[in-house]
């Protein structure tokens, strides 16, 4: 006796080539996030840097905040971090600048 065949699904999606499935323009048209950020280090960058799709937690306001903080760190913190580490403290002016930007919980 031959085994019974499984029923076919009522709908089967159209077959696509694997290259087409990963085309960023096609994915963007489908509403899938394809925007990346950072160095794209696997397991080194947060998942939202690598265009992993999330339920919407990281929207344009998050991206604006991230850019604002990154600019501040690049311009104000990174050039001075060695001195501050050697001194064992961060100058109060830095905290005041962060507060003036509205980035501290209580400003």
């Amino acid at each position: 006796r031959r085994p019974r065949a499984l029923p076919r699904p009522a709908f089967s999606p159209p077959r696509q080539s694997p290259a087409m499935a990963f085309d960023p323009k096609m994915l963007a048209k489908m509403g899938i996030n394809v925007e990346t950020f950072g160095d794209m280090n696997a397991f080194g960058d947060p998942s939202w840097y690598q265009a992993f799709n999330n339920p919407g937690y990281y929207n344009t306001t998050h991206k604006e905040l991230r850019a604002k903080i990154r600019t501040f760190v690049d311009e104000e913190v990174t050039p001075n971090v060695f001195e501050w580490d050697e001194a064992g403290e961060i100058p109060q002016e830095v905290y005041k600048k962060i507060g003036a930007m509205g980035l501290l919980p209580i400003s």
Side-chain angles (χ1 to χ4, degrees):
R1 277 173 88 160
R2 291 175 63 182
R4 288 180 39 193
L6 296 174
R8 299 185 106 188
F11 170 77
S12 60
R15 292 185 181 249
Q16 298 176 346
S17 70
M20 187 179 198
F22 295 106
D23 177 27
K25 291 180 183 175
M26 168 108 27
L27 294 172
K29 285 181 184 177
M30 295 167 47
I32 296 173
N33 178 27
V34 294
E35 183 181 342
T36 59
F37 187 83
D39 298 327
M40 296 304 294
N41 294 326
F43 306 107
D45 284 337
S47 61
W48 62 87
Y49 278 21
Q50 300 178 0
F52 291 140
N53 290 284
N54 59 59
Y57 302 123
Y58 304 106
N59 55 24
T60 55
T61 55
H62 178 267
K63 292 175 185 177
E64 291 166 2
L65 176 64
R66 180 178 63 196
K68 184 178 184 178
I69 294 171
R70 183 172 288 251
T71 301
F72 179 80
V73 169
D74 288 346
E75 293 174 359
E76 302 286 337
V77 176
T78 304
N80 302 302
V81 77
F82 181 77
E83 287 177 34
W84 299 342
D85 187 46
E86 291 297 312
E89 67 179 342
I90 300 171
Q92 289 296 311
E93 295 80 36
V94 176
Y95 293 107
K96 291 177 183 176
K97 286 180 183 179
I98 295 170
M101 294 171 65
L103 297 176
L104 289 179
I106 301 174
S107 330

